[in-house]
């Protein structure tokens, strides 16, 4: 009986263990990735970060109900093309596979070799020396000059700048105080393009609303008041419209100023600035962002029937447009130098924090990609072109073309669209890299999936079929040019975005190395492969 019992117990334990393993595998396979759609309908000159968010099992306690940052309600998609949709010629697949040794060489050099930590060092020197790099500031122009000097010192080729006409807005001195029902200083940041208050400021009663519909319901109560928007965080794409249009909506119903709850997925009482736009140039009111906590507090006060009064002072001024510069440097192709793969990020930032995450990291992995190829002696067939955009934060003036008179990169080079093999921009953070966001034809997607398989050793093989371009390059999708972006685990991106928290502390040296390895490898392989990546309409569902 003892032996039988022992066998029974042993068999039960083994069976339980097997069931647990099967359950664990099923759970792992059940994790899904969602596509984040294009937001061209809400962008209107504002850089809205477009990225996928990996599913997370837990998050810190937050002062508001939120989910990982998204742009719209997510839709489940396959992150790669279905096997029956890819039918690449075997010789093309073999050619791409032949780059494995070179990609391994790049990864080894960047992640573990002599270049380890170099990207972080350059980024640290950039942000520590020049600080935030607002368009129109001496800091940005000095940073551009510095990047030109570094490029020349590294022996990069065709280093030059191209002029960009951009708005020039200056924050100046500003403050906001709640004077009733108690005295309390509100942490605030004026929003880009806002008008200032009179020198003595504006002192008025507050009306708190939850959204634009709520504003319309209480329009008769808004006259002569400061409207506070306490919109719920749903996603950046949803919440940012209040920052962008809140002042104009409030002005339409007679408000004298507006305060906007920061578009942030997590807050430690810090405001997040950004660009806003007046829909009626003849009717402008001052507007600023306030913290999630203060917006929620005033909402509670109003619900209790307490009278709220705020004294807002803003010295903001808009000056005539200025000329700034895109910074460009290259590793010239040895066979087709007139064709190019572009890697890019924007060098400008808001005037708070250090602009280390938005977008110092993206700019630095792009510039360092060219340096790595130069130092390794890897000269591809086509030119690798690194572009550091200017004036992105005011609406993509460096790369996009929003107004016909702007000498933007797209306007200057649109006739060369057939010469671009691939255009990439990193402007969604440089956190742990997972792969590539991609926007192109089905065949182009299949090609990129083969390329990304080369990065298996650092687990960055995903190709996410979403709008792969960043704010400076998305216009090129209309010309059929394949676009790419860094797909990374950036669920904390909007914790720091456009705030004083965007400092070097957000960045990790080892993670930056991995991002650089991905960026450089993809750039080199696509620039050197004999096959042209097909141009044409995007494979993205137009309903997004």
């Amino acid at each position: 009986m003892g032996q039988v019992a022992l066998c029974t117990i042993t068999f039960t334990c083994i069976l339980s263990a097997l069931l647990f393993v099967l359950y664990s595998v099923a759970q792992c396979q059940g994790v899904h990735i969602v596509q984040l759609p294009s937001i061209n309908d809400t962008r209107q000159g504002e850089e809205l970060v477009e990225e996928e968010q990996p599913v997370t099992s837990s998050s810190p306690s937050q002062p508001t109900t939120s989910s990982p940052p998204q742009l719209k309600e997510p839709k489940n998609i396959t992150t790669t093309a279905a096997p029956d949709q890819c039918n690449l010629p075997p010789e093309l697949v073999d050619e791409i596979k032949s780059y494995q040794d070179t990609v391994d060489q790049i990864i080894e050099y960047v992640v573990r070799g002599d270049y380890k930590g170099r990207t972080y060092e350059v980024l640290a020197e950039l942000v520590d020396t020049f600080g935030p790099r607002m368009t129109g500031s001496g800091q940005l122009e000095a940073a551009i000059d510095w990047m030109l000097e570094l490029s020349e010192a590294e022996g990069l080729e065709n280093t030059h700048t191209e002029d960009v006409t951009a708005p020039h807005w200056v924050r100046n001195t500003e403050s906001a105080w709640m004077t009733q029902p108690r005295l309390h200083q509100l942490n605030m940041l004026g929003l880009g393009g806002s008008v200032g208050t009179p020198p003595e400021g504006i002192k008025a009663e507050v009306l708190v609303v939850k959204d634009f519909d709520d504003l319309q319901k209480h329009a008769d109560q808004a006259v002569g008041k400061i409207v506070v928007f306490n919109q719920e965080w749903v996603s950046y794409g949803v919440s940012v419209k209040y920052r962008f249009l809140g002042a104009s909506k409030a002005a339409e119903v007679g408000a004298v100023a507006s305060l906007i709850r920061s578009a942030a997925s997590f807050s430690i009482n810090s405001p997040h600035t950004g660009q806003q736009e007046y829909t009626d140039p003849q009717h402008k009111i001052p507007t600023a962002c306030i913290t999630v906590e203060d917006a929620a507090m005033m909402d509670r006060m109003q619900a209790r029937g307490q009278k709220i009064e705020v004294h807002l002072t803003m010295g903001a001024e808009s000056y005539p447009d200025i000329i700034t510069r895109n910074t460009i440097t290259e590793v010239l192709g040895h066979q087709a130098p007139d064709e190019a793969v572009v890697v890019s990020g924007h060098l400008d930032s808001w005037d708070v924090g250090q602009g280390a995450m938005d977008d110092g990291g993206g700019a630095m992995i792009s510039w360092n990609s060219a340096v790595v190829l130069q130092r390794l002696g890897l000269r591809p067939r086509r030119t690798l072109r690194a572009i550091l955009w200017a004036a992105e934060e005011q609406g993509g003036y460096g790369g996009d073309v929003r107004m016909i008179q702007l000498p933007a990169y797209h306007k200057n080079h649109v006739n060369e669209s057939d010469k671009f093999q691939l255009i990439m921009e990193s402007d969604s953070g440089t956190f742990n890299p997972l792969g590539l966001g991609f926007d192109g034809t089905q065949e182009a997607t299949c090609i990129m999936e083969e390329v990304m398989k080369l990065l298996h050793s650092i687990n960055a093989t995903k190709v996410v079929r979403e709008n792969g371009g960043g704010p400076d390059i998305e216009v090129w999708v209309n010309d059929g040019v394949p676009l790419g972006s860094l797909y990374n685990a950036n669920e904390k991106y909007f914790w720091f975005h456009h705030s004083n928290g965007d400092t070097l502390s957000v960045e990790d040296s080892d993670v930056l190395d991995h991002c650089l390895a991905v960026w450089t490898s993809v750039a080199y392989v696509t620039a050197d492969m004999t096959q042209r990546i097909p141009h044409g309409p995007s494979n993205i569902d137009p309903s997004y």
Side-chain angles (χ1 to χ4, degrees):
M1 286 298 292
Q3 290 180 339
V4 172
L6 179 60
C7 291
T8 302
I9 293 170
T10 303
F11 174 78
T12 301
C13 292
I14 293 172
L15 179 61
S16 298
L18 286 172
L19 288 173
F20 176 78
V21 171
L22 290 172
Y23 173 78
S24 300
V25 171
Q27 287 294 94
C28 291
Q29 291 177 340
V31 174
H32 66 278
I33 305 296
V34 297
Q35 174 184 10
L36 301 182
S38 173
I39 49 169
N40 292 336
D41 55 335
T42 62
R43 189 171 181 278
Q44 301 184 55
E46 161 59 15
E47 110 300 1
L48 301 185
V49 179
E50 301 178 340
E51 83 286 336
E52 280 200 332
Q53 299 298 342
V55 177
T56 56
S57 59
S58 62
S59 60
S61 175
Q62 298 183 13
T64 181
T65 301
S66 66
S67 57
Q70 304 158 357
L71 295 181
K72 292 182 182 177
E73 289 301 314
K75 300 182 181 180
N76 293 337
I77 64 161
T78 304
T79 58
T80 56
D84 59 353
Q85 293 178 315
C86 288
N87 189 25
L88 298 176
E91 57 271 20
L92 174 57
V93 175
D94 289 341
E95 181 190 3
I96 294 173
K97 288 180 178 178
S98 72
Y99 286 100
Q100 187 65 69
D101 287 347
T102 304
V103 168
D104 290 344
Q105 179 189 11
I106 292 171
I107 292 172
E108 179 65 26
Y109 180 61
V110 169
V111 173
R112 291 175 289 273
D114 291 345
Y115 212 77
K116 178 178 174 59
R118 175 60 179 160
T119 304
Y120 185 88
E121 292 173 1
V122 180
L123 175 60
E125 188 170 357
L126 170 71
V127 301
D128 291 344
T129 303
F130 304 104
R133 302 164 302 282
M134 183 77 167
T135 297
S137 70
Q139 293 98 308
L140 174 59
E141 297 309 309
I144 292 171
D145 290 339
W146 184 67
M147 293 308 305
L148 293 172
E149 292 172 5
L150 287 185
S151 300
E152 294 287 355
E154 288 289 347
L156 299 177
E157 298 156 309
N158 196 24
T159 298
H160 65 286
T161 62
E162 294 186 9
D163 288 350
V164 177
T165 303
H168 184 196
W169 179 82
V170 178
R171 180 181 307 282
N172 295 318
T173 303
E174 57 186 14
S175 68
W177 287 84
M178 185 176 71
T179 56
Q180 290 191 48
R182 66 179 174 88
L183 188 64
H184 169 66
Q185 185 172 12
L186 301 171
N187 288 336
M188 56 84 74
L189 287 171
L191 294 175
S194 176
V195 296
T197 64
E200 67 277 11
I202 294 174
K203 191 174 185 179
E205 189 176 345
V206 163
L207 172 68
V208 183
V209 297
K210 297 184 183 301
D211 51 37
F212 292 145
D213 289 339
D214 195 24
L215 176 64
Q216 290 304 313
K217 290 177 184 177
H218 299 89
D220 59 331
Q221 302 174 37
V223 178
K225 293 183 180 177
I226 296 174
V227 168
V228 171
F229 286 94
N230 183 36
Q231 75 281 358
E232 180 184 1
W233 170 266
V234 177
S235 68
Y236 188 66
V238 171
S239 299
V240 77
K241 64 185 178 183
Y242 294 93
R243 187 194 82 199
F244 198 69
L245 297 173
S248 292
K249 295 289 187 181
E252 289 174 3
V253 294
V256 295
S258 65
L259 298 175
I260 318 296
R261 168 174 161 161
S262 290
S265 59
F266 177 76
S267 179
I268 51 171
N269 205 35
S270 59
H272 297 238
T273 190
Q275 191 67 15
Q276 67 86 39
E277 185 170 302
Y278 296 111
T279 57
D280 181 1
Q282 304 304 315
H283 197 186
K284 302 178 180 181
I285 61 174
T287 183
C289 62
I290 58 175
T291 70
V292 171
E293 293 85 346
D294 282 340
M297 178 184 67
M298 286 190 279
D299 198 351
R300 295 192 300 271
M301 288 176 169
Q302 180 175 277
R304 297 188 194 104
Q306 294 175 296
K307 179 181 178 180
I308 309 167
E309 188 177 75
V310 165
H311 186 189
L312 176 68
T313 304
M314 294 174 59
E317 291 184 81
S318 290
Y319 297 95
D321 288 352
I322 52 89
I323 301 295
T324 183
R325 299 165 289 169
N326 288 331
T327 308
I328 302 169
T329 193
E330 297 177 338
V331 175
L332 290 174
H334 68 80
Q335 182 173 309
D338 59 329
E339 298 179 12
V341 167
V342 172
V343 289
S344 67
H346 65 87
L347 194 60
D348 70 296
S349 71
W350 279 102
D351 55 341
V352 293
Q354 291 183 312
M357 181 193 75
D358 186 16
D359 180 36
M364 289 303 96
I365 66 169
S366 297
W367 182 81
N368 279 279
S369 292
V371 176
V372 167
L373 295 190
Q374 179 73 7
R375 290 194 180 188
L376 288 176
L378 294 173
R379 185 178 294 277
R381 285 182 173 83
R382 301 172 188 84
T383 293
L384 173 71
R385 182 174 302 151
I387 305 179
L388 308 183
W389 307 108
E392 187 276 339
E393 296 294 4
Q394 287 66 44
Y397 287 85
D400 207 340
V401 53
R402 304 305 170 87
M403 302 171 70
I404 195 65
Q405 73 271 19
L406 291 175
Y409 191 83
H410 180 265
K411 181 184 176 184
N412 289 344
H413 298 275
V414 65
N415 292 333
E416 306 164 25
S417 60
D418 62 326
K419 299 294 186 181
F420 290 110
Q421 169 86 326
L422 173 66
I423 301 179
M424 300 193 294
E425 179 176 18
S426 173
D427 187 20
S428 298
T430 41
F431 299 97
N432 185 42
L434 305 174
L436 194 73
F438 186 71
D439 198 340
T441 67
Q442 182 60 58
E443 183 183 356
T445 303
C446 293
I447 291 173
M448 294 310 301
E449 287 173 2
E450 291 297 324
V451 172
M452 297 309 293
K453 290 176 183 178
L454 300 171
L455 291 156
H456 61 87
S457 67
I458 54 174
N459 298 315
T461 59
K462 295 184 183 296
V463 176
V464 182
R465 296 175 62 185
E466 64 173 69
N467 188 340
D472 292 290
I473 68 172
E474 65 182 11
V475 67
W476 291 93
V477 75
N478 300 322
D479 304 301
V481 179
L483 304 180
S485 62
L486 182 68
Y487 172 46
N488 63 119
N490 58 358
E491 61 270 13
K492 295 181 181 179
Y493 186 81
F494 292 110
W495 294 19
F496 310 101
H497 180 253
H498 292 184
S499 77
N500 277 303
D502 183 2
T503 68
L504 190 67
S505 298
V506 177
E507 299 292 331
D508 180 279
S509 181
D510 291 339
V511 171
L512 268 176
D513 288 339
H514 281 75
C515 291
L516 175 61
V518 172
W519 217 230
T520 308
S521 298
V522 173
Y524 177 77
V525 173
T526 54
D528 193 65
M529 59 192 289
T530 57
Q531 172 75 38
R532 286 295 306 273
I533 299 177
H535 286 209
S538 168
N539 62 8
I540 304 304
D541 184 342
S543 67
Y544 283 119

